[in-house]
Amino acid sequence: MVELATPASVTRASTRDAAFARGTVSASGNGTLPALASVDVERWQALAGDACEPNGFYLPDWALAIDAFARGRTGLSALTAWRDAAGPARLIGLMPVISLWRAARIPLPALVGAEAYGTVRTPLLDLAAADEAAQKLMRQARDAGAHALILRDIPLDGAAMKTFTRVLDAGGLRPAVLHSRLRACLDATRDADELLRDALGAKKLKELRRQRYRLAEHGEVACAIARTPDDVARALEVFLKLEAGGWKGGRGTALAQSAGDAAFIRRAAAALAGHGQCEIATLGAGTTPVAAAIIVRHLDRAFYFKLGVDERFAKFSPGVQLTLELTRHFCADPAIATVDSLAAPDHPMINPIWRGRLAIGDVLIPLARRDPIVTLIRAALMAQQGIRASARRAVHLIRRLKAKRR
C-alpha cells in the first residue's frame, strides 16, 4: 500500500502549517513552487495534446494570458509532475494552484486549483501516465506544506477524477466531494435536427422559426464562425461590444470593463486560434451583429465560454438562435464529441436545448491518512459554502423583488 505521508510529517510543528497558510511557505522544504509562467510551454503543449481529459482553460495560451493580465487571477503557482526517462524530461501532469487563503480567505494549509475564468479546473494528466502524474502532483503539494488539494469545478465522472480516486485508494485514502451540481452539455455525436426536435418539440421549434423570420426583417440572418487569429481578433471586438452593452455591462462584469480582463481575452483568443482551439460565432441580421459567443476547444470537447447579445433584439431570442446554430455546427464536426455549456445549474436558456448533463463538483483530496488538519479544512470549506449559498439566495430574492416593483 502506498503511503502519501509519514506520521512524522503530519505531526510536525504547527508553525510550518501557519506559515504555509499565510503564504510564506510554498516550497518543497528548500524552494518555492514554480511560477506558472516558468513552465516550459513546449512541454506543456505536448502534455495538453496527450491529456486524459480535456480542459481548454488550462491550455498554456489561455492560462498564461490569465496569469499575465486577468484581474485577481495573476501570479499563479504550478504543481508539476515530470517523468525522467532517456532523453529530455517529459511533463506528465500540471495543475495551476493558489493557496486556500488566497482562494477563500481560510488560513489553513491547502492548495486550490486556480480559477481560469472558465468553470473547469481539471488538472492535465498524461493519458499514458495518469496515475503516476496524479501521485507526483499530490506528493509535490504535500512536500510544499499542504495537507490537502482542493479540486474545484471538476467533472466527477471524468478520467482525471477517476485517476485521483484510484491513487488515493492505493494509499488508503478517499476523496471528499464538498459540493456537486449538474450542468447542461451537448452530445455532439447526435444528429442536430433530431436532437433539437427531441429537446424542444415541434411547437417550440416553430416559434423559434417565427422569431427568426421576424429577425430577418432587419436583414438576412446568418451565422459566421471566425477561426483564424485575425478573424477571431476582429470577431472578439464585436463580442466585447455586445457583452458590455448587455446586463453584464450593467453590473460592471463585462470583460471590456476591466483593462486586465480585456488584455487577457485578446491575447488568449488570438493565440488559441493559432492552434485551432478558439472560435467566435457571430449571428447577424444584415450588417448588424445581434449575438456572439466565444468557444474554446480542446481534444474532443468544446467549451461554450461566453455569450453576448444585443438586447434591442431580445424579443427575437438572439442568444437562443445562436445556440441553435452552434448545436448544428458542433454536431456536424466529427472532432467534437461533447460541448460543455459552463452554465449554472437550471440555466433557463441552455438547459431546455442541451439535455445532456455533466456532474461537476468540488473535491477535497487528502494528502495523509487520519490527518486532523484535513478535517478542519473540510469543515471550514463546508461552513463557508453554507454562508455563500445563503448570501446568493438573499441576492436573488432582492433582484426578484426589484424586478417585481418595476
Side-chain angles (χ1 to χ4, degrees), residues 184-187 195 198-200 350-357:
C185 67
L186 170 67
D187 178 0
L195 183 149
D198 290 347
L200 296 172
I350 198 71
N351 276 32
I353 305 172
W354 292 358
R355 295 299 183 94
R357 295 294 179 264

Side-chain angles (χ1 to χ4, degrees), residues 133-198:
Q135 189 173 49
K136 286 183 173 179
L137 293 178
M138 292 164 63
R139 184 180 299 128
Q140 187 183 29
R142 180 202 66 201
D143 290 345
H147 288 242
L149 274 181
I150 313 299
L151 306 181
R152 282 188 166 159
D153 302 320
I154 184 169
L156 296 177
D157 298 323
M161 191 64 244
K162 290 177 180 177
T163 298
F164 277 99
T165 301
R166 268 196 316 272
V167 171
L168 287 168
D169 183 65
L173 295 161
R174 297 180 62 185
V177 177
L178 304 170
H179 176 61
S180 65
R181 60 271 188 201
L182 296 175
R183 71 178 177 218
C185 67
L186 170 67
D187 178 0
T189 64
R190 293 188 57 188
D191 175 78
D193 291 333
E194 177 187 325
L195 183 149
L196 291 172
R197 281 196 303 270
D198 290 347

Side-chain angles (χ1 to χ4, degrees), residues 153-284:
D153 302 320
I154 184 169
L156 296 177
D157 298 323
M161 191 64 244
K162 290 177 180 177
T163 298
F164 277 99
T165 301
R166 268 196 316 272
V167 171
L168 287 168
D169 183 65
L173 295 161
R174 297 180 62 185
V177 177
L178 304 170
H179 176 61
S180 65
R181 60 271 188 201
L182 296 175
R183 71 178 177 218
C185 67
L186 170 67
D187 178 0
T189 64
R190 293 188 57 188
D191 175 78
D193 291 333
E194 177 187 325
L195 183 149
L196 291 172
R197 281 196 303 270
D198 290 347
L200 296 172
K203 184 177 179 180
K204 181 62 176 178
L205 285 172
K206 182 178 179 181
E207 171 62 17
L208 288 169
R209 283 194 296 271
R210 185 191 68 82
Q211 291 178 344
R212 187 182 176 102
Y213 293 146
R214 292 287 308 280
L215 179 60
E217 294 172 5
H218 298 267
E220 182 182 359
V221 177
C223 181
I225 307 291
R227 295 183 177 88
T228 69
D230 287 345
D231 288 346
V232 163
R234 283 190 290 269
L236 177 62
E237 298 308 315
V238 173
F239 168 85
L240 291 173
K241 184 176 180 180
L242 287 171
E243 186 190 41
W247 63 267
K248 290 181 184 177
R251 291 186 187 174
T253 59
L255 289 171
Q257 291 174 300
S258 161
D261 288 349
F264 133 68
I265 194 60
R266 287 182 174 118
R267 171 170 152 179
L272 285 172
H275 294 100
Q277 294 171 326
C278 181
E279 299 173 340
I280 297 183
T282 305
L283 186 72

Side-chain angles (χ1 to χ4, degrees), residues 336-396:
I336 297 298
T338 306
V339 186
D340 186 343
S341 71
L342 305 180
D346 303 318
H347 192 280
M349 187 277 282
I350 198 71
N351 276 32
I353 305 172
W354 292 358
R355 295 299 183 94
R357 295 294 179 264
L358 282 173
I360 304 294
D362 299 342
V363 182
L364 184 149
I365 303 293
L367 301 178
R369 291 191 294 172
R370 296 182 293 275
D371 184 350
I373 294 178
V374 172
T375 304
L376 289 176
I377 292 168
R378 181 177 183 179
L381 287 166
M382 295 300 290
Q384 186 182 78
Q385 180 179 300
I387 292 168
R388 287 180 173 174
S390 298
R392 281 194 297 270
R393 285 193 293 269
V395 168
H396 291 158

Side-chain angles (χ1 to χ4, degrees), residues 9-332:
S9 71
V10 175
T11 57
R12 221 171 264 161
S14 62
T15 53
R16 183 168 184 261
D17 294 335
F20 181 95
R22 291 193 303 271
T24 56
V25 175
S26 58
S28 58
N30 54 10
T32 59
L33 286 174
L36 186 66
S38 72
V39 178
D40 183 278
V41 173
E42 185 177 346
R43 290 182 172 86
W44 187 349
Q45 289 278 20
L47 167 61
D50 294 331
C52 69
E53 184 173 353
N55 181 0
F57 305 107
Y58 280 176
L59 291 170
D61 288 326
W62 185 276
L64 290 174
I66 286 275
D67 188 50
F69 297 112
R71 57 180 173 181
R73 295 173 171 86
T74 60
L76 304 179
S77 298
L79 292 175
T80 55
W82 296 85
R83 170 175 280 184
D84 297 317
R90 182 160 64 96
L91 184 65
I92 59 171
L94 182 138
M95 180 178 172
V97 292
I98 56 177
S99 69
L100 184 57
W101 171 253
R102 178 174 171 181
R105 287 298 184 264
I106 294 175
L108 291 170
L111 290 170
V112 182
E115 199 275 314
Y117 236 133
T119 49
V120 184
R121 307 193 212 182
T122 310
L124 298 180
L125 305 177
D126 188 291
L127 176 62
D131 287 28
E132 178 186 352
Q135 189 173 49
K136 286 183 173 179
L137 293 178
M138 292 164 63
R139 184 180 299 128
Q140 187 183 29
R142 180 202 66 201
D143 290 345
H147 288 242
L149 274 181
I150 313 299
L151 306 181
R152 282 188 166 159
D153 302 320
I154 184 169
L156 296 177
D157 298 323
M161 191 64 244
K162 290 177 180 177
T163 298
F164 277 99
T165 301
R166 268 196 316 272
V167 171
L168 287 168
D169 183 65
L173 295 161
R174 297 180 62 185
V177 177
L178 304 170
H179 176 61
S180 65
R181 60 271 188 201
L182 296 175
R183 71 178 177 218
C185 67
L186 170 67
D187 178 0
T189 64
R190 293 188 57 188
D191 175 78
D193 291 333
E194 177 187 325
L195 183 149
L196 291 172
R197 281 196 303 270
D198 290 347
L200 296 172
K203 184 177 179 180
K204 181 62 176 178
L205 285 172
K206 182 178 179 181
E207 171 62 17
L208 288 169
R209 283 194 296 271
R210 185 191 68 82
Q211 291 178 344
R212 187 182 176 102
Y213 293 146
R214 292 287 308 280
L215 179 60
E217 294 172 5
H218 298 267
E220 182 182 359
V221 177
C223 181
I225 307 291
R227 295 183 177 88
T228 69
D230 287 345
D231 288 346
V232 163
R234 283 190 290 269
L236 177 62
E237 298 308 315
V238 173
F239 168 85
L240 291 173
K241 184 176 180 180
L242 287 171
E243 186 190 41
W247 63 267
K248 290 181 184 177
R251 291 186 187 174
T253 59
L255 289 171
Q257 291 174 300
S258 161
D261 288 349
F264 133 68
I265 194 60
R266 287 182 174 118
R267 171 170 152 179
L272 285 172
H275 294 100
Q277 294 171 326
C278 181
E279 299 173 340
I280 297 183
T282 305
L283 186 72
T287 59
T288 304
V290 298
I294 301 174
I295 305 298
V296 177
R297 301 167 62 112
H298 182 208
L299 301 177
D300 66 349
R301 188 166 299 175
F303 302 86
Y304 196 165
F305 174 55
K306 278 185 178 290
L307 171 69
V309 302
D310 187 333
E311 295 185 359
R312 296 175 301 169
F313 296 87
K315 63 183 178 182
F316 307 122
S317 304
V320 175
Q321 300 289 351
L322 180 55
T323 300
L324 297 183
E325 294 284 352
L326 285 171
T327 302
R328 298 183 181 100
H329 170 64
F330 286 119
C331 286

